[in-house]
Amino acid sequence: MDVEATKTILLALRGPITAADVPQLCDQLAARLRDSDATDAVCDVGALGRPTAVTVNALARLQLVARRRGCRIRLSGAGPELLLLLELVGLTDVVGAGGPVGGPVQAGGPAETGPDPPLVRRA
């Protein structure tokens, strides 16, 4: 049985992240990936605090850095606010958000189809 071993590095993010922090975080990830044979980077976001647009930007840029080096980012410890924010901006699949170590997000299943709900009008 020929099974390729997955090598993983851990990147722990502490918050809050500012826009000025993003280039440094990307440089740190790039250096760690250069110095390893990692194919996955688990990004522990449990200590980020309340997520912001800057948080989402940082995670998207980290994923770009990882992909350029043949790696992927998976999130660990993502809270419901961060998962919702990533879903709202359409980046859930891009940054590997979800489950304990970045599995798919289970946010209510597929959208239901059917008639539109009635409009509520205020008098």
Side-chain angles (χ1 to χ4, degrees), residues 73-98:
I73 294 280
R74 295 181 295 144
L75 299 185
S76 173
E81 285 182 331
L82 178 56
L83 293 175
L84 180 60
L85 189 54
L86 289 169
E87 185 177 359
L88 287 172
V89 298
L91 291 176
T92 302
D93 294 333
V94 173
V95 296

PDB file of all heavy atoms in Angstrom, residues 73-98:
ATOM      1  N   ILE A  73      -4.151  25.592   3.695  1.00  0.00           N
ATOM      2  CA  ILE A  73      -4.467  25.999   5.067  1.00  0.00           C
ATOM      3  C   ILE A  73      -5.767  25.325   5.478  1.00  0.00           C
ATOM      4  O   ILE A  73      -6.725  25.277   4.710  1.00  0.00           O
ATOM      5  CB  ILE A  73      -4.660  27.538   5.155  1.00  0.00           C
ATOM      6  CG1 ILE A  73      -3.360  28.271   4.860  1.00  0.00           C
ATOM      7  CG2 ILE A  73      -5.222  27.955   6.500  1.00  0.00           C
ATOM      8  CD1 ILE A  73      -2.400  28.339   5.993  1.00  0.00           C
ATOM      9  N   ARG A  74      -5.785  24.812   6.686  1.00  0.00           N
ATOM     10  CA  ARG A  74      -7.017  24.334   7.311  1.00  0.00           C
ATOM     11  C   ARG A  74      -7.135  25.049   8.645  1.00  0.00           C
ATOM     12  O   ARG A  74      -6.143  25.250   9.334  1.00  0.00           O
ATOM     13  CB  ARG A  74      -6.973  22.820   7.520  1.00  0.00           C
ATOM     14  CG  ARG A  74      -6.938  22.053   6.204  1.00  0.00           C
ATOM     15  CD  ARG A  74      -6.923  20.566   6.402  1.00  0.00           C
ATOM     16  NE  ARG A  74      -5.690  20.151   7.059  1.00  0.00           N
ATOM     17  CZ  ARG A  74      -5.616  19.159   7.943  1.00  0.00           C
ATOM     18  NH1 ARG A  74      -6.681  18.485   8.295  1.00  0.00           N
ATOM     19  NH2 ARG A  74      -4.469  18.832   8.479  1.00  0.00           N
ATOM     20  N   LEU A  75      -8.341  25.444   9.002  1.00  0.00           N
ATOM     21  CA  LEU A  75      -8.552  26.163  10.253  1.00  0.00           C
ATOM     22  C   LEU A  75      -8.895  25.208  11.378  1.00  0.00           C
ATOM     23  O   LEU A  75      -9.609  24.234  11.190  1.00  0.00           O
ATOM     24  CB  LEU A  75      -9.684  27.182  10.100  1.00  0.00           C
ATOM     25  CG  LEU A  75      -9.486  28.278   9.063  1.00  0.00           C
ATOM     26  CD1 LEU A  75     -10.636  29.262   9.132  1.00  0.00           C
ATOM     27  CD2 LEU A  75      -8.163  28.981   9.238  1.00  0.00           C
ATOM     28  N   SER A  76      -8.403  25.535  12.548  1.00  0.00           N
ATOM     29  CA  SER A  76      -8.715  24.798  13.761  1.00  0.00           C
ATOM     30  C   SER A  76      -9.174  25.809  14.810  1.00  0.00           C
ATOM     31  O   SER A  76      -8.608  26.888  14.922  1.00  0.00           O
ATOM     32  CB  SER A  76      -7.458  24.074  14.251  1.00  0.00           C
ATOM     33  OG  SER A  76      -7.690  23.475  15.508  1.00  0.00           O
ATOM     34  N   GLY A  77     -10.203  25.459  15.550  1.00  0.00           N
ATOM     35  CA  GLY A  77     -10.674  26.327  16.629  1.00  0.00           C
ATOM     36  C   GLY A  77     -11.502  27.503  16.171  1.00  0.00           C
ATOM     37  O   GLY A  77     -11.691  28.464  16.925  1.00  0.00           O
ATOM     38  N   ALA A  78     -12.001  27.463  14.946  1.00  0.00           N
ATOM     39  CA  ALA A  78     -12.798  28.584  14.431  1.00  0.00           C
ATOM     40  C   ALA A  78     -14.145  28.627  15.140  1.00  0.00           C
ATOM     41  O   ALA A  78     -14.860  27.632  15.187  1.00  0.00           O
ATOM     42  CB  ALA A  78     -13.000  28.450  12.928  1.00  0.00           C
ATOM     43  N   GLY A  79     -14.480  29.775  15.690  1.00  0.00           N
ATOM     44  CA  GLY A  79     -15.751  29.960  16.370  1.00  0.00           C
ATOM     45  C   GLY A  79     -16.876  30.243  15.392  1.00  0.00           C
ATOM     46  O   GLY A  79     -16.633  30.500  14.201  1.00  0.00           O
ATOM     47  N   PRO A  80     -18.102  30.221  15.883  1.00  0.00           N
ATOM     48  CA  PRO A  80     -19.248  30.431  14.999  1.00  0.00           C
ATOM     49  C   PRO A  80     -19.247  31.789  14.302  1.00  0.00           C
ATOM     50  O   PRO A  80     -19.681  31.891  13.155  1.00  0.00           O
ATOM     51  CB  PRO A  80     -20.461  30.269  15.909  1.00  0.00           C
ATOM     52  CG  PRO A  80     -19.956  30.232  17.304  1.00  0.00           C
ATOM     53  CD  PRO A  80     -18.497  29.956  17.258  1.00  0.00           C
ATOM     54  N   GLU A  81     -18.760  32.835  14.968  1.00  0.00           N
ATOM     55  CA  GLU A  81     -18.733  34.158  14.334  1.00  0.00           C
ATOM     56  C   GLU A  81     -17.791  34.173  13.136  1.00  0.00           C
ATOM     57  O   GLU A  81     -18.117  34.716  12.078  1.00  0.00           O
ATOM     58  CB  GLU A  81     -18.318  35.246  15.326  1.00  0.00           C
ATOM     59  CG  GLU A  81     -19.387  35.623  16.318  1.00  0.00           C
ATOM     60  CD  GLU A  81     -18.921  36.742  17.232  1.00  0.00           C
ATOM     61  OE1 GLU A  81     -17.708  36.857  17.493  1.00  0.00           O
ATOM     62  OE2 GLU A  81     -19.783  37.507  17.682  1.00  0.00           O
ATOM     63  N   LEU A  82     -16.611  33.580  13.287  1.00  0.00           N
ATOM     64  CA  LEU A  82     -15.657  33.539  12.181  1.00  0.00           C
ATOM     65  C   LEU A  82     -16.195  32.676  11.046  1.00  0.00           C
ATOM     66  O   LEU A  82     -16.118  33.057   9.876  1.00  0.00           O
ATOM     67  CB  LEU A  82     -14.300  33.011  12.653  1.00  0.00           C
ATOM     68  CG  LEU A  82     -13.230  32.874  11.567  1.00  0.00           C
ATOM     69  CD1 LEU A  82     -12.993  34.199  10.850  1.00  0.00           C
ATOM     70  CD2 LEU A  82     -11.944  32.336  12.160  1.00  0.00           C
ATOM     71  N   LEU A  83     -16.768  31.525  11.366  1.00  0.00           N
ATOM     72  CA  LEU A  83     -17.329  30.658  10.336  1.00  0.00           C
ATOM     73  C   LEU A  83     -18.441  31.360   9.564  1.00  0.00           C
ATOM     74  O   LEU A  83     -18.510  31.274   8.339  1.00  0.00           O
ATOM     75  CB  LEU A  83     -17.845  29.352  10.945  1.00  0.00           C
ATOM     76  CG  LEU A  83     -16.783  28.426  11.521  1.00  0.00           C
ATOM     77  CD1 LEU A  83     -17.432  27.233  12.199  1.00  0.00           C
ATOM     78  CD2 LEU A  83     -15.800  27.990  10.450  1.00  0.00           C
ATOM     79  N   LEU A  84     -19.294  32.084  10.281  1.00  0.00           N
ATOM     80  CA  LEU A  84     -20.369  32.814   9.622  1.00  0.00           C
ATOM     81  C   LEU A  84     -19.810  33.926   8.730  1.00  0.00           C
ATOM     82  O   LEU A  84     -20.252  34.100   7.592  1.00  0.00           O
ATOM     83  CB  LEU A  84     -21.335  33.402  10.646  1.00  0.00           C
ATOM     84  CG  LEU A  84     -22.508  34.199  10.086  1.00  0.00           C
ATOM     85  CD1 LEU A  84     -23.364  33.324   9.174  1.00  0.00           C
ATOM     86  CD2 LEU A  84     -23.347  34.776  11.211  1.00  0.00           C
ATOM     87  N   LEU A  85     -18.841  34.648   9.227  1.00  0.00           N
ATOM     88  CA  LEU A  85     -18.235  35.723   8.437  1.00  0.00           C
ATOM     89  C   LEU A  85     -17.579  35.167   7.174  1.00  0.00           C
ATOM     90  O   LEU A  85     -17.745  35.723   6.082  1.00  0.00           O
ATOM     91  CB  LEU A  85     -17.214  36.485   9.285  1.00  0.00           C
ATOM     92  CG  LEU A  85     -16.624  37.758   8.712  1.00  0.00           C
ATOM     93  CD1 LEU A  85     -17.694  38.743   8.289  1.00  0.00           C
ATOM     94  CD2 LEU A  85     -15.687  38.401   9.727  1.00  0.00           C
ATOM     95  N   LEU A  86     -16.873  34.060   7.297  1.00  0.00           N
ATOM     96  CA  LEU A  86     -16.257  33.435   6.125  1.00  0.00           C
ATOM     97  C   LEU A  86     -17.318  32.971   5.132  1.00  0.00           C
ATOM     98  O   LEU A  86     -17.155  33.110   3.922  1.00  0.00           O
ATOM     99  CB  LEU A  86     -15.377  32.259   6.543  1.00  0.00           C
ATOM    100  CG  LEU A  86     -14.090  32.632   7.265  1.00  0.00           C
ATOM    101  CD1 LEU A  86     -13.446  31.396   7.871  1.00  0.00           C
ATOM    102  CD2 LEU A  86     -13.132  33.360   6.340  1.00  0.00           C
ATOM    103  N   GLU A  87     -18.413  32.443   5.657  1.00  0.00           N
ATOM    104  CA  GLU A  87     -19.500  32.011   4.783  1.00  0.00           C
ATOM    105  C   GLU A  87     -20.141  33.205   4.077  1.00  0.00           C
ATOM    106  O   GLU A  87     -20.434  33.145   2.878  1.00  0.00           O
ATOM    107  CB  GLU A  87     -20.544  31.250   5.591  1.00  0.00           C
ATOM    108  CG  GLU A  87     -21.644  30.665   4.743  1.00  0.00           C
ATOM    109  CD  GLU A  87     -22.639  29.839   5.543  1.00  0.00           C
ATOM    110  OE1 GLU A  87     -22.483  29.698   6.764  1.00  0.00           O
ATOM    111  OE2 GLU A  87     -23.591  29.352   4.925  1.00  0.00           O
ATOM    112  N   LEU A  88     -20.346  34.296   4.804  1.00  0.00           N
ATOM    113  CA  LEU A  88     -20.981  35.479   4.219  1.00  0.00           C
ATOM    114  C   LEU A  88     -20.170  36.077   3.079  1.00  0.00           C
ATOM    115  O   LEU A  88     -20.736  36.601   2.126  1.00  0.00           O
ATOM    116  CB  LEU A  88     -21.224  36.542   5.296  1.00  0.00           C
ATOM    117  CG  LEU A  88     -22.345  36.238   6.278  1.00  0.00           C
ATOM    118  CD1 LEU A  88     -22.359  37.264   7.413  1.00  0.00           C
ATOM    119  CD2 LEU A  88     -23.688  36.215   5.574  1.00  0.00           C
ATOM    120  N   VAL A  89     -18.846  36.002   3.171  1.00  0.00           N
ATOM    121  CA  VAL A  89     -18.012  36.569   2.112  1.00  0.00           C
ATOM    122  C   VAL A  89     -17.590  35.518   1.084  1.00  0.00           C
ATOM    123  O   VAL A  89     -16.817  35.808   0.175  1.00  0.00           O
ATOM    124  CB  VAL A  89     -16.772  37.309   2.684  1.00  0.00           C
ATOM    125  CG1 VAL A  89     -17.196  38.483   3.544  1.00  0.00           C
ATOM    126  CG2 VAL A  89     -15.866  36.370   3.441  1.00  0.00           C
ATOM    127  N   GLY A  90     -18.094  34.297   1.236  1.00  0.00           N
ATOM    128  CA  GLY A  90     -17.848  33.250   0.255  1.00  0.00           C
ATOM    129  C   GLY A  90     -16.472  32.619   0.312  1.00  0.00           C
ATOM    130  O   GLY A  90     -15.982  32.103  -0.686  1.00  0.00           O
ATOM    131  N   LEU A  91     -15.838  32.635   1.484  1.00  0.00           N
ATOM    132  CA  LEU A  91     -14.481  32.097   1.598  1.00  0.00           C
ATOM    133  C   LEU A  91     -14.384  30.823   2.429  1.00  0.00           C
ATOM    134  O   LEU A  91     -13.285  30.385   2.746  1.00  0.00           O
ATOM    135  CB  LEU A  91     -13.544  33.159   2.182  1.00  0.00           C
ATOM    136  CG  LEU A  91     -13.265  34.349   1.280  1.00  0.00           C
ATOM    137  CD1 LEU A  91     -12.401  35.371   2.003  1.00  0.00           C
ATOM    138  CD2 LEU A  91     -12.607  33.908  -0.001  1.00  0.00           C
ATOM    139  N   THR A  92     -15.513  30.230   2.770  1.00  0.00           N
ATOM    140  CA  THR A  92     -15.487  29.031   3.606  1.00  0.00           C
ATOM    141  C   THR A  92     -14.616  27.949   2.992  1.00  0.00           C
ATOM    142  O   THR A  92     -13.762  27.370   3.655  1.00  0.00           O
ATOM    143  CB  THR A  92     -16.915  28.508   3.830  1.00  0.00           C
ATOM    144  OG1 THR A  92     -17.682  29.532   4.442  1.00  0.00           O
ATOM    145  CG2 THR A  92     -16.914  27.292   4.725  1.00  0.00           C
ATOM    146  N   ASP A  93     -14.815  27.664   1.721  1.00  0.00           N
ATOM    147  CA  ASP A  93     -14.043  26.617   1.060  1.00  0.00           C
ATOM    148  C   ASP A  93     -12.618  27.061   0.755  1.00  0.00           C
ATOM    149  O   ASP A  93     -11.706  26.243   0.720  1.00  0.00           O
ATOM    150  CB  ASP A  93     -14.722  26.179  -0.233  1.00  0.00           C
ATOM    151  CG  ASP A  93     -16.047  25.490   0.018  1.00  0.00           C
ATOM    152  OD1 ASP A  93     -16.215  24.904   1.103  1.00  0.00           O
ATOM    153  OD2 ASP A  93     -16.918  25.533  -0.867  1.00  0.00           O
ATOM    154  N   VAL A  94     -12.417  28.337   0.561  1.00  0.00           N
ATOM    155  CA  VAL A  94     -11.096  28.851   0.209  1.00  0.00           C
ATOM    156  C   VAL A  94     -10.111  28.672   1.353  1.00  0.00           C
ATOM    157  O   VAL A  94      -8.971  28.268   1.143  1.00  0.00           O
ATOM    158  CB  VAL A  94     -11.169  30.341  -0.204  1.00  0.00           C
ATOM    159  CG1 VAL A  94      -9.784  30.933  -0.406  1.00  0.00           C
ATOM    160  CG2 VAL A  94     -12.006  30.491  -1.456  1.00  0.00           C
ATOM    161  N   VAL A  95     -10.534  28.955   2.576  1.00  0.00           N
ATOM    162  CA  VAL A  95      -9.613  28.884   3.705  1.00  0.00           C
ATOM    163  C   VAL A  95      -9.745  27.607   4.513  1.00  0.00           C
ATOM    164  O   VAL A  95      -9.142  27.487   5.568  1.00  0.00           O
ATOM    165  CB  VAL A  95      -9.741  30.114   4.640  1.00  0.00           C
ATOM    166  CG1 VAL A  95      -9.353  31.381   3.926  1.00  0.00           C
ATOM    167  CG2 VAL A  95     -11.111  30.222   5.230  1.00  0.00           C
ATOM    168  N   GLY A  96     -10.482  26.648   4.036  1.00  0.00           N
ATOM    169  CA  GLY A  96     -10.573  25.370   4.738  1.00  0.00           C
ATOM    170  C   GLY A  96     -11.217  25.489   6.100  1.00  0.00           C
ATOM    171  O   GLY A  96     -10.725  24.934   7.076  1.00  0.00           O
ATOM    172  N   ALA A  97     -12.301  26.243   6.171  1.00  0.00           N
ATOM    173  CA  ALA A  97     -12.973  26.458   7.454  1.00  0.00           C
ATOM    174  C   ALA A  97     -13.907  25.311   7.767  1.00  0.00           C
ATOM    175  O   ALA A  97     -14.457  24.681   6.893  1.00  0.00           O
ATOM    176  CB  ALA A  97     -13.769  27.763   7.407  1.00  0.00           C
ATOM    177  N   GLY A  98     -14.108  25.073   9.029  1.00  0.00           N
ATOM    178  CA  GLY A  98     -15.079  24.082   9.455  1.00  0.00           C
ATOM    179  C   GLY A  98     -14.533  23.175  10.515  1.00  0.00           C
ATOM    180  O   GLY A  98     -13.613  23.507  11.213  1.00  0.00           O
TER     181      GLY A  98
END
